[in-house]
Amino acid sequence: MRAMTERVPFPHRHLLGIEDLSPADIRMILDLADDAVVLNRAARKKRDVLKGLTQINMFFESSTRTSASFELAGKRLGADVMNMAVKASSVNKGETLIDTAMTLNAMHPDILVVRHGESGAVNLLAQKVNCAVINAGDGRREHPTQALLDALTIRRRKGRLHRLTVAICGDILHSRVARSNIHLLNKMENRVRVIAPPTLCPAGIDRLGAEVFHDMREGLEGCDVVMMLRLQQERMAGGFIPSHREYFHRYGLDEHKLSAAADDVIVMHPGPMNRGVEIDSDLADDINRSVIQEQVEMGVAVRMAVLELLAEGMEVAV
Ligand code: NCD
């Protein structure tokens, strides 16, 4: 990896959302993540840039790849990593969160990685503690490291991260992944489309800079990248879709719908997938088009880059 002195300092104390980043910040993270990919593919992966620092991961919502990759990323860079076993409380969430934050703060962590079901909860927490905070997904708002790992995957596959047409499809309404990706792809000057049934398409999404489609083949026409989203049933009280079968028929990605996209289209999904609901199972495993496993690999690299950049900022601050 590049030595810190060769870089301009990363100008943020926390990573709370893509909305706060400039194109230069995004490039800095992705360049460093490219180096981390090389390290991760080597037999010995350990570095010591986070040595002596304590990273606490707090996931108030369930997670597989995000929490695993943040844990691995911290450990590969030499941090002491602790995973707090927290479950979303049904009562008085605001108070619980601040109490938890103050308790953790008293243990002097250097980095807190937080996922929470309420939009804005991680930003609130960042105001209460005096360490770096990384948003690992807050409600429907943002999931910045997911958008960054998606961007890294696209940049490596397509050789660029600008002037691409990207379709984000499915449950846009409940998706922090969609919001972070719309911000990032617009900042990097791509064309963003969202394709969703009207019930799963939030009002005003076009104001974020996305062209709205309700028909898959129309929206996929000529696309370079297709991002499928999970139907977030845990956030639905019912009535959003007629049935899984009907949803797959109209909005599930299959060969026929995908044939409207560019010949060299890549298919992405942040995981976890509902096979046969939002994506055809064979297509998800098609190594010629699906980059879903690569996204997971890039997830570790991007999280290492973010941890390293935030840690450098701490050294500058002392
Ligand atoms: C996403 C999330 O939690 O926002 N998953 C992830 O981080 N890989 C998307 C989802 O849950 O569908």
Side-chain angles (χ1 to χ4, degrees), residues 57-60 82-87:
N57 299 333
M58 293 163 67
F59 282 72
F60 291 88
M82 186 187 112
N83 295 309
M84 284 258 311
V86 282
K87 276 256 151 66

Side-chain angles (χ1 to χ4, degrees), residues 179-290:
R179 268 170 203 75
S180 287
N181 266 305
I182 293 171
H183 286 308
L184 189 150
L185 292 164
N186 273 312
K187 280 175 198 272
M188 305 315 279
E189 295 179 16
N190 297 281
R191 287 186 59 181
V192 186
R193 300 177 182 169
V194 298
I195 314 175
T199 48
L200 293 177
C201 193
I205 195 82
D206 51 325
R207 285 198 296 276
L208 287 188
E211 208 182 332
V212 177
F213 292 84
H214 299 304
D215 178 86
M216 280 291 269
R217 278 194 61 95
E218 239 174 72
L220 290 176
E221 182 66 44
C223 280
D224 302 296
V225 178
V226 182
M227 290 182 178
M228 298 311 298
L229 297 173
R230 183 175 65 87
L231 204 53
Q232 304 218 354
Q233 296 171 84
E234 76 278 20
R235 296 186 211 274
M236 296 180 193
F240 285 92
I241 57 159
S243 70
H244 284 169
R245 219 171 126 220
E246 173 71 7
Y247 184 80
F248 182 72
H249 176 66
R250 300 207 44 195
Y251 292 99
L253 189 68
D254 58 14
E255 289 291 345
H256 172 67
K257 298 185 190 90
L258 190 63
S259 66
D263 290 341
D264 60 350
V265 66
I266 56 170
V267 175
M268 309 179 76
H269 194 305
M273 275 185 278
N274 294 309
R275 288 172 182 265
V277 178
E278 68 261 358
I279 188 164
D280 173 73
S281 191
D282 290 342
L283 194 53
D285 298 329
D286 177 352
I287 52 164
N288 294 313
R289 284 173 297 179
S290 165

Side-chain angles (χ1 to χ4, degrees), residues 30-52:
L30 300 187
D31 290 348
L32 193 59
D34 267 330
D35 296 347
V37 174
V38 178
L39 180 79
N40 287 338
R41 289 180 181 176
R44 291 177 196 275
K45 303 165 180 61
K46 195 104 174 166
R47 295 180 65 232
D48 62 3
V49 292
L50 298 188
K51 197 167 173 201

